[in-house]
Amino acid sequence: VHDLISTSTVGAGPSVQLIERMSANVRRLESEKAACRDEISRLTAQRDESRTEVVNLMREVEEKRKMDERLRVLEAEHKDLAGRYATTLEMLGEKSELVEELKADVADVKAMYRQLADTM
């Protein structure tokens, strides 16, 4: 407290000392008030940044959910197509076997006609 009182006002009486103490307190409080305002500004900026980040993250989550749903649909389509492809390959194999058998039968029939023609 004695540091706040200047030596020139010691003899002036208690009212000057009281005014100096009160002035010192006012300056200190104004300084604290300015510091608090700065802190509020800083916290407000952080809050705004955080709010923006949360909104962006929510958008990303929504986009990911849509992508996950699209992936599920595509996987189901792929599974269906893979099944159809396997069935088609199997049918193609069967048809190829049938064609080979028919070619062999045609060759046999040609051979029989030749033999028949040769014997006549």
Side-chain angles (χ1 to χ4, degrees):
V1 177
H2 293 294
D3 293 340
L4 298 176
I5 304 170
S6 69
T7 54
S8 63
T9 59
V10 171
S15 62
V16 174
Q17 291 175 353
L18 179 63
I19 291 173
E20 277 192 5
R21 272 188 284 170
M22 291 177 89
S23 292
N25 281 337
V26 166
R27 285 191 298 275
R28 181 183 53 81
L29 290 173
E30 284 177 349
S31 174
E32 286 178 13
K33 182 174 126 182
C36 287
R37 280 190 181 150
D38 291 344
E39 180 72 9
I40 287 173
S41 294
R42 186 183 64 75
L43 291 173
T44 301
Q46 279 183 339
R47 181 203 62 202
D48 292 345
E49 273 182 43
S50 297
R51 185 179 292 156
T52 301
E53 187 174 344
V54 165
V55 168
N56 290 337
L57 288 172
M58 289 173 66
R59 284 185 185 136
E60 284 180 28
V61 165
E62 185 60 31
E63 216 171 288
K64 184 188 178 304
R65 285 183 182 146
K66 287 179 184 176
M67 293 295 234
D68 286 346
E69 180 59 31
R70 179 72 177 138
L71 179 62
R72 277 191 285 278
V73 168
L74 290 174
E75 284 174 341
E77 287 177 11
H78 179 265
K79 184 178 179 182
D80 180 54
L81 287 173
R84 289 171 49 196
Y85 179 73
T87 303
T88 303
L89 280 179
E90 186 178 330
M91 289 172 56
L92 179 63
E94 291 171 3
K95 297 292 181 186
S96 295
E97 286 178 20
L98 182 60
V99 166
E100 292 302 317
E101 289 174 10
L102 290 174
K103 283 182 180 179
D105 289 346
V106 167
D108 290 344
V109 169
K110 282 182 181 178
M112 286 191 318
Y113 276 128
R114 283 189 192 123
Q115 261 183 351
L116 186 61
D118 287 343
T119 56
M120 288 193 180

